[in-house]
Amino acid sequence: MDITSSQTAAGLLIKVNEHRIDAAVAIEFKEAVRGAADGLEGTVILDLGNVTFLDSSGLGAVVAVMKLLGPQRPLHLAALTPPVAKVFRLTRMDSIFTIHLHPPCGIKATG
Amino acid sequence: MDLPASNAQAAPGVQAGTARHRLFEEQVRIRRCFPAGAMETRAALLAISDSLRCKGLTEDDLSSAELILAEVLNNIVEHAYANTEGQVDLCIDLRANGLYCEVRDHGGSMPNGQAPNPALPAINPPQDLPEGGFGWHIIRSLTTQLGYRQENGWNALSFVVPLTWMD
């Protein structure tokens, strides 16, 4: 599972560099994001702009990530492509995530 | 509309020369048989999407079809075959008003011999955040004419994915 993470003013940005989060990679995805956020605090923003396919296994993995991050590290989503947004809408899971149209840009604010 | 006589059966509003119009003149069937498995499912979905894209389906219809088929195939891998080996036989007839699909496997049958129709899992954050149980809701939300039957040791799930054809 190819992901990259970076600190931004809005929180830890995790970008998924894969086109699919499906049953074949759901567990791998969950572990990769867990590892990227390990030991860090604050908001985690998951940039799904490259993801053009998400099935219910992938959705379950995103929810699992939200639960394992816990209330101290709220999970936000960003840049949902239309097929991915459709899955969140159909399952009404769009109601439990803060969803940004675009990922945040810029480096972490200092001072 | 100035259509040739041979196309007289085309529905009103269907423009000559469009992808939808051509479907009145050709039979398009996609058939794939493959071993049940997560990677095999992914490969089959990619190939089917490519085939359907070539036929002029909209991206929205393509994404619905891929999602539905993924949920059906994932169920076969995880439930019918319970992650053991088995064969999947998938057949899609592309017609002007929809994708007529039948997916067959010879694994365990559906509970009570019926395709499930569960309610959407309860969403009450932060206590109740479901990680599963969405598949059948997605399938039933996006399909029509869903039917399930068992014959000669095979399960056969049939359904129609309606098409919008915005071309």
Side-chain angles (χ1 to χ4, degrees):
Chain A
M1 174 58 56
D2 182 6
I3 63 170
T4 48
S5 60
S6 56
Q7 280 292 347
T8 71
L12 178 69
L13 176 65
I14 298 178
K15 186 172 178 63
V16 180
N17 303 312
E18 307 259 356
H19 297 307
R20 303 173 76 86
I21 307 176
D22 59 15
V25 298
I27 294 172
E28 206 185 317
F29 164 80
K30 192 164 73 175
E31 292 308 315
V33 177
R34 184 214 294 266
D38 191 37
L40 299 171
E41 290 182 0
T43 302
V44 176
I45 304 131
L46 193 60
D47 179 354
L48 295 173
N50 284 326
V51 180
T52 53
F53 183 77
L54 176 99
D55 63 10
S56 66
S57 302
L59 175 68
V62 174
V63 175
V65 165
M66 178 192 231
K67 287 159 78 169
L68 67 87
L69 290 175
Q72 303 307 315
R73 293 179 292 178
L75 179 66
H76 293 192
L77 308 178
L80 304 192
T81 61
V84 172
K86 185 189 297 184
V87 176
F88 278 88
R89 194 171 60 244
L90 277 173
T91 57
R92 300 190 199 127
M93 295 305 275
D94 53 350
S95 64
I96 67 155
F97 288 95
T98 301
I99 300 175
H100 304 278
L101 275 180
H102 306 286
C105 50
I107 57 167
K108 185 180 173 69
T110 55
Chain B
M1 209 159 51
D2 190 18
L3 289 176
S6 63
N7 296 324
Q9 77 276 22
V14 177
Q15 295 296 308
T18 62
R20 184 178 186 181
H21 180 264
R22 285 193 295 276
L23 282 177
F24 286 96
E25 300 170 333
E26 59 174 327
Q27 295 279 326
V28 178
R29 169 169 285 189
I30 298 169
R31 180 109 192 255
R32 292 189 76 88
C33 301
F34 52 95
M39 293 313 294
E40 292 83 355
T41 291
R42 182 188 271 204
L45 292 173
L46 288 169
I48 291 164
S49 285
D50 282 349
S51 299
L52 293 175
R53 187 173 279 111
C54 289
K55 296 298 175 188
L57 269 68
T58 65
E59 287 301 316
D60 190 46
D61 287 344
L62 279 170
S63 69
S64 291
E66 186 173 6
L67 178 60
I68 294 157
L69 291 170
E71 299 300 338
V72 169
L73 296 172
N74 288 346
N75 283 343
I76 290 173
V77 173
E78 293 165 21
H79 301 298
Y81 289 128
N83 296 310
T84 60
E85 289 182 6
Q87 205 67 18
V88 178
D89 182 353
L90 191 157
C91 187
I92 301 172
D93 282 328
L94 173 53
R95 300 183 197 162
N97 65 337
L99 298 172
Y100 288 70
C101 306
E102 183 165 282
V103 188
R104 288 154 46 91
D105 67 80
H106 56 84
S109 58
M110 302 259 185
N112 306 317
Q114 293 181 331
N117 191 9
L120 197 59
I123 303 172
N124 297 307
Q127 297 87 2
D128 292 332
L129 283 176
E131 295 176 33
F134 302 113
W136 275 105
H137 178 79
I138 290 172
I139 295 166
R140 293 211 178 249
S141 297
L142 296 175
T143 62
T144 61
Q145 302 178 46
L146 188 100
Y148 170 69
R149 64 181 196 283
Q150 296 163 279
E151 53 183 24
N152 305 323
W154 286 80
N155 303 301
L157 187 74
S158 56
F159 50 89
V160 177
V161 183
L163 297 176
T164 53
W165 297 103
M166 298 300 285
D167 61 345

